[in-house]
Amino acid sequence: MGDRALSRRGFLTASAAAGLGMTALSGCGGDSDGGSSGTTTVEWWNISTAQPTKDVWAGLAKKFEAQNPKVKIKIVQLENDAYKSKMTALTASGELPDIFHTWGGGVLKQQVDAGLVEDLTDRTKPWADGLLAVAKEPYLLDDRVYGIPFDIGMVGFWYNKALFKQAGIATPPTTWSDFLDAVGRLKSAGTTPLALAGKETWTGMYYWAYLAMRTAGADALEKAGDDKDFTGAEFVQAGRHLKDLVDLQPFQKGFLGAAYSSPTGQAAAVGNGKAAMELMGQWAPLVQADAGKGLGDDLGFFPFPAVEGGKGAITEVFGGGGGHALRQGAPQAAVDFLKFFASETTDLELVRKTGVLPVVPGAESAITDPNIEAVQAQLKGSTGFQLYLDQAYAPALGQEVNDSVAGLIAGSKSPEQVTESITQTAKEEQ
Amino acid sequence: MTSTFLPDKRTGPEAGPPPPALRVGRGRSRRRIRNWLTAVGFQLPALVLFLVLVLLPILFALYAAFFRWGGFGMPSDYIGADNFTRLFDDPVFLGDLWRCLVLVGLSLAIQLPFALAMAVLLNQRIRGRAVYRTLFFAPYVLSEAITGILFAMIFAPDSGLADQVLGSVGLDGLGGTWFADPSTVMATLFLVMTWKYFGFHMMLYLAGLQSIPAELTEAALIDGASPWQRFRHVTLPLLAPTLRISVFLSVIGSIQLFDLVWVTTAGGPDHHSETMAVTMFQYGFKRYQVGYASAISVVMFGISLVFALAYQRFVLRRDLEGATTTMRGGQK
């Protein structure tokens, strides 16, 4: 008995000590200075925990080490959400890894403003000039380069060609009124025009963001975020256009409770041919095939239509990608690695094996899927760019956009109320 | 082990033999200190854990609720009671309070009486009652996340099991959008809550029922009491302590409801099933407005505390009094 009690107490003390110890330890790490033997260890933090990307990236690190015998690459991989919270903590502590994953936008700007990120403008000349311009956009702050992309993508409509044909729609719509018209035709043909995951509010936000870009122009959302003012007439107009769509009742039954990637969700509805379209990023075909059957050759892509009389053009894209940034004062080996990672040889391998879109123009030849080719063409010819709002803005503001647009779609908020509550949240953040 | 060495030390050469009376007194106080130290020693780990993991976070949340704070570093932007005034202006939070009341009301009016009825039923001698008891208790054992995923699938519009079953018996009109419609989401949620928790309350009642001596009901039977009278005037009063505890648990559970809502609807559609805990999570871990989220948690804590104290003072008083008088009686 006595022994048992002792061991139980010992266990408690030990676990408490272990817990505290772990917390203390996790605060460390991130340092990686050159060893005494003349080799430099470069820490590379990324979120590629899924296969085959994980192995491909590890292989690339090995290849780089073979080419640069004095450099060791230490890979630290974290799950997406874990990475985000870990990075927030590291940013607060003022120590970032040598090379780290970034989406650019507001979060990168915070890190840059805190003086934690290396300015790469001069150190990546001239090789970075050859990269796809739109892919570099999220990491440009005041015309300085703070990150090098390895992936880029965009949101657009993914549609079922067979269902469009059935409804008598010959070509995908290019204007908003044509789009509403197509929705009407699909409805009268007995098809659900659009699938939407109402439970996951970011899916509805895509509509509002694109409409705002089309009515107010590509730079307007960025500017509104800086000015903390979204009450402009064009943003209200964007909400009205969305309301016009919602009033047609274009979404699947029970869309307000639907998830995105579950077997009864948005992607599955399109992938199983139950809905004709969804507004989604370049990953849509994969998820459609994963959650549903997938459409194969029936799947098509068209860009978000232009709005008549709006300041934006159909060639302006809403999207984002992935890139790498360096901590302030990172060793030259880290810059060399970025150059290696953005080379045509590496990018060809990445496009072929891991399904990312090319950031090096020469790697386009590796694309085989016609839809991905269409996305790539749209990206290449883009005349303006807006990063995903939840990455471009602070978390509270991004969530409020999602939330109030969801209210508009559910019918509880007017277009004016949407812009007002977004503005209010923007002003609360200092 | 140590006690065998201590006397040797005390009678060491430099101390000298103390007078007998003093030695007894010293020995007693030493023993008292030693007992006290032993008690502290045993309680220390638990005390430290309680302090670090329970008390400090509560106090810290109370402190953070008065700041605009993003969750990293120490809070520094003091804003007084702004978070609280904002809270009580927020239609979503006021809705949370209302929905909490609705859930408490529905639980007390429907879920608990249903559990009581099942308990009374399964207290009879019927064939296979052990099987029924296990079956009805099983949902409570299931984790809330799994329950949520399960029912999200069952109540999926059209393709879900619920709509399929209703459709196959020609009741398509009754089916529909369940979780996906602002007007039906709370009813659906309550249905799932009842499925999940009534078995637990039923078990409590069954235990209570079994402690009621059979002689009492038999006596009532001999006196000519009808089944309803036996239930109303014998069973129910004797079950009252159990009922009071079950009501208490049910109310506290409704105030803190989170997992089930988060998995099935995430508070949607359009906040129509959001609870205080869900709102707190949204602000704390999605928006990183930790100061505001702390204010929500403080209000939740306050409501639970006030309810718990008031309930103990006014409702459980009879149960507690019973306990204390028995003890006093025992001392006499």
Side-chain angles (χ1 to χ4, degrees):
Chain A
M1 270 307 273
D3 258 336
R4 185 112 163 254
L6 192 73
S7 72
R8 203 178 296 157
R9 181 175 49 168
F11 171 74
L12 274 181
T13 328
S15 50
L20 288 173
M22 295 281 266
T23 325
L25 278 177
S26 65
C28 312
D31 304 280
S32 54
D33 293 311
S36 50
S37 57
T39 55
T40 317
T41 305
V42 174
E43 237 178 79
W44 176 25
W45 285 40
N46 62 62
I47 56 166
S48 296
T49 49
Q51 295 291 12
T53 314
K54 190 177 176 180
D55 284 349
V56 173
W57 284 28
L60 284 167
K62 282 262 161 353
K63 195 170 150 195
F64 179 78
E65 283 175 355
Q67 289 172 8
N68 302 269
K70 289 203 161 169
V71 181
K72 283 209 69 72
I73 302 283
K74 189 180 160 211
I75 299 178
V76 179
Q77 270 155 343
L78 289 168
E79 193 69 50
N80 185 55
D81 282 359
Y83 177 80
K84 281 182 181 163
S85 49
K86 181 80 190 171
M87 284 304 280
T88 323
L90 286 183
T91 306
S93 77
E95 285 263 5
L96 292 178
D98 298 317
I99 306 176
F100 58 94
H101 181 96
T102 178
W103 292 271
V107 178
L108 182 63
K109 188 171 187 313
Q110 266 180 355
Q111 291 160 343
V112 169
D113 289 346
L116 303 175
V117 185
E118 183 77 7
D119 183 342
L120 297 172
T121 320
D122 300 321
R123 294 182 79 178
T124 57
K125 267 189 181 135
W127 55 269
D129 295 337
L131 302 175
L132 202 64
V134 66
K136 289 187 287 189
E137 192 85 22
Y139 320 100
L140 278 180
L141 301 167
D142 298 328
D143 292 325
R144 308 296 292 175
V145 178
Y146 289 99
I148 298 297
F150 62 85
D151 187 19
I152 179 68
M154 64 172 285
V155 170
F157 278 108
W158 295 89
Y159 74 107
N160 188 324
K161 289 179 191 164
L163 290 177
F164 265 51
K165 213 171 155 190
Q166 235 174 58
I169 307 163
T171 49
T174 53
T175 64
W176 187 246
S177 50
D178 281 355
F179 179 78
L180 294 181
D181 188 51
V183 166
R185 284 210 215 176
L186 284 162
K187 261 195 91 116
S188 36
T191 307
T192 303
L194 288 160
L196 185 72
K199 186 183 163 192
E200 292 171 43
T201 47
W202 52 270
T203 55
M205 174 272 287
Y206 284 179
Y207 285 88
W208 188 84
Y210 247 132
L211 282 166
M213 282 173 69
R214 294 292 186 254
T215 54
D219 301 328
L221 282 167
E222 188 93 43
K223 190 170 177 308
D226 291 341
D227 298 349
K228 305 184 193 311
D229 183 11
F230 292 79
T231 51
E234 284 141 343
F235 290 127
V236 176
Q237 194 57 41
R240 293 218 180 97
H241 285 309
L242 179 52
K243 194 149 175 23
D244 290 342
L245 174 66
V246 173
D247 287 344
L248 294 177
Q249 301 188 320
F251 305 113
Q252 83 275 25
K253 188 178 174 191
F255 70 94
L256 283 174
Y260 169 58
S261 58
S262 79
T264 52
Q266 170 179 335
V270 179
N272 291 334
K274 286 188 176 163
M277 296 182 266
E278 64 169 332
L279 182 60
M280 196 38 70
Q282 77 279 5
W283 57 85
L286 294 173
V287 185
Q288 285 172 9
D290 188 48
K293 288 191 214 91
L295 292 177
D297 290 342
D298 274 342
L299 184 68
F301 174 84
F302 66 89
F304 197 93
V307 171
E308 294 88 340
K311 285 184 191 155
I314 195 168
T315 47
E316 291 164 353
V317 302
F318 178 64
H324 290 119
L326 302 186
R327 72 167 164 89
Q328 179 79 276
Q332 181 59 32
V335 182
D336 293 343
F337 183 75
L338 288 188
K339 186 182 174 189
F340 164 81
F341 209 71
S343 68
E344 195 175 316
T345 334
T346 307
D347 206 32
L348 271 170
E349 189 175 343
L350 290 177
V351 172
R352 207 173 289 132
K353 289 185 184 162
T354 65
V356 298
L357 285 167
V359 295
V360 183
E364 278 164 29
S365 57
I367 304 179
T368 47
D369 185 295
N371 284 320
I372 298 299
E373 233 164 61
V375 173
Q376 174 71 12
Q378 181 75 19
L379 278 167
K380 221 177 141 186
S382 67
T383 55
F385 179 82
Q386 171 60 49
L387 183 66
Y388 296 124
L389 294 188
D390 54 353
Q391 281 150 32
Y393 298 150
L397 185 52
Q399 287 292 327
E400 184 57 41
V401 176
N402 293 357
D403 213 46
S404 44
V405 173
L408 178 77
I409 292 174
S412 70
K413 272 199 163 136
S414 70
E416 288 82 4
Q417 283 169 326
V418 170
T419 58
E420 278 156 20
S421 47
I422 295 173
T423 305
Q424 196 192 336
T425 307
K427 289 200 167 130
E428 275 164 15
E429 293 278 306
Q430 61 278 70
Chain B
M1 277 233 290
T2 40
S3 56
T4 50
F5 290 105
L6 275 174
D8 293 344
K9 251 191 187 168
R10 214 176 352 164
T11 52
E14 73 275 6
L22 195 69
R23 199 156 74 189
V24 171
R26 250 228 244 155
R28 194 177 287 159
S29 71
R30 274 213 181 220
R31 202 177 308 134
R32 204 177 295 148
I33 290 172
R34 216 186 311 135
N35 284 345
W36 192 78
L37 279 178
T38 316
V40 168
F42 273 113
Q43 284 177 14
L44 201 63
L47 266 178
V48 167
L49 283 179
F50 180 76
L51 207 72
V52 173
L53 298 178
V54 180
L55 212 56
L56 279 181
I58 290 176
L59 292 177
F60 190 73
L62 202 61
Y63 174 73
F66 293 93
F67 289 83
R68 194 207 306 266
W69 183 46
F72 289 98
M74 282 303 282
S76 57
D77 187 3
Y78 180 77
I79 51 167
D82 277 10
N83 280 332
F84 292 95
T85 44
R86 180 180 156 199
L87 197 58
F88 286 100
D89 270 343
D90 185 348
V92 173
F93 184 74
L94 296 177
D96 291 348
L97 289 174
W98 169 243
R99 282 182 287 274
C100 177
L101 269 179
V102 168
L103 282 181
V104 167
L106 285 175
S107 299
L108 300 190
I110 299 174
Q111 186 180 327
L112 298 189
F114 178 67
L116 180 60
M118 293 311 279
V120 170
L121 194 69
L122 291 182
N123 201 34
Q124 319 286 322
R125 296 193 178 282
I126 50 171
R127 189 190 289 268
R129 68 175 180 179
V131 177
Y132 289 123
R133 283 180 188 175
T134 318
L135 270 181
F136 293 151
F137 187 65
Y140 180 71
V141 180
L142 213 61
S143 97
E144 289 181 12
I146 291 174
T147 309
I149 293 172
L150 193 70
F151 276 93
M153 281 158 81
I154 288 176
F155 288 126
D158 290 335
S159 57
L161 182 69
D163 280 359
Q164 297 280 342
V165 169
L166 285 175
S168 65
V169 294
L171 289 171
D172 312 55
L174 275 182
T177 39
W178 306 103
F179 282 126
D181 189 326
S183 58
T184 55
V185 64
M186 283 304 278
T188 313
L189 185 66
F190 178 68
L191 201 69
V192 179
M193 277 172 72
T194 305
W195 180 86
K196 175 108 175 70
Y197 295 111
F198 92 90
F200 170 71
H201 295 283
M202 183 194 78
M203 261 340 193
L204 286 183
Y205 298 152
L206 266 174
L209 285 173
Q210 269 154 23
S211 68
I212 298 175
E215 293 86 359
L216 292 176
T217 22
E218 271 164 28
L221 186 66
I222 290 164
D223 287 346
S226 69
W228 168 249
Q229 282 174 322
R230 290 203 298 278
F231 174 75
R232 174 67 189 82
H233 296 290
V234 179
T235 312
L236 210 53
L238 286 169
L239 199 59
T242 316
L243 282 172
R244 287 193 279 269
I245 286 293
S246 133
V247 166
F248 181 73
L249 291 176
S250 179
V251 172
I252 293 288
S254 299
I255 292 175
Q256 301 180 336
L257 185 68
F258 174 76
D259 330 35
L260 210 55
V261 181
W262 188 253
V263 177
T264 50
T265 66
D270 195 26
H271 304 294
H272 279 87
S273 64
E274 203 157 311
T275 63
M276 280 186 279
V278 171
T279 311
M280 177 182 79
F281 188 87
Q282 288 280 10
Y283 279 97
F285 300 104
K286 294 273 170 179
R287 298 190 181 211
Y288 291 103
Q289 296 188 336
V290 181
Y292 187 60
S294 299
I296 300 179
S297 70
V298 166
V299 172
M300 265 175 81
F301 178 74
I303 293 174
S304 303
L305 190 73
V306 167
F307 170 75
L309 291 179
Y311 197 81
Q312 281 186 14
R313 175 76 182 77
F314 297 110
V315 183
L316 293 179
R317 188 179 51 184
R318 276 166 58 194
D319 305 324
L320 297 174
E321 251 178 15
T324 42
T325 42
T326 322
M327 265 174 70
R328 241 179 261 141
Q331 268 177 354
K332 276 175 199 167

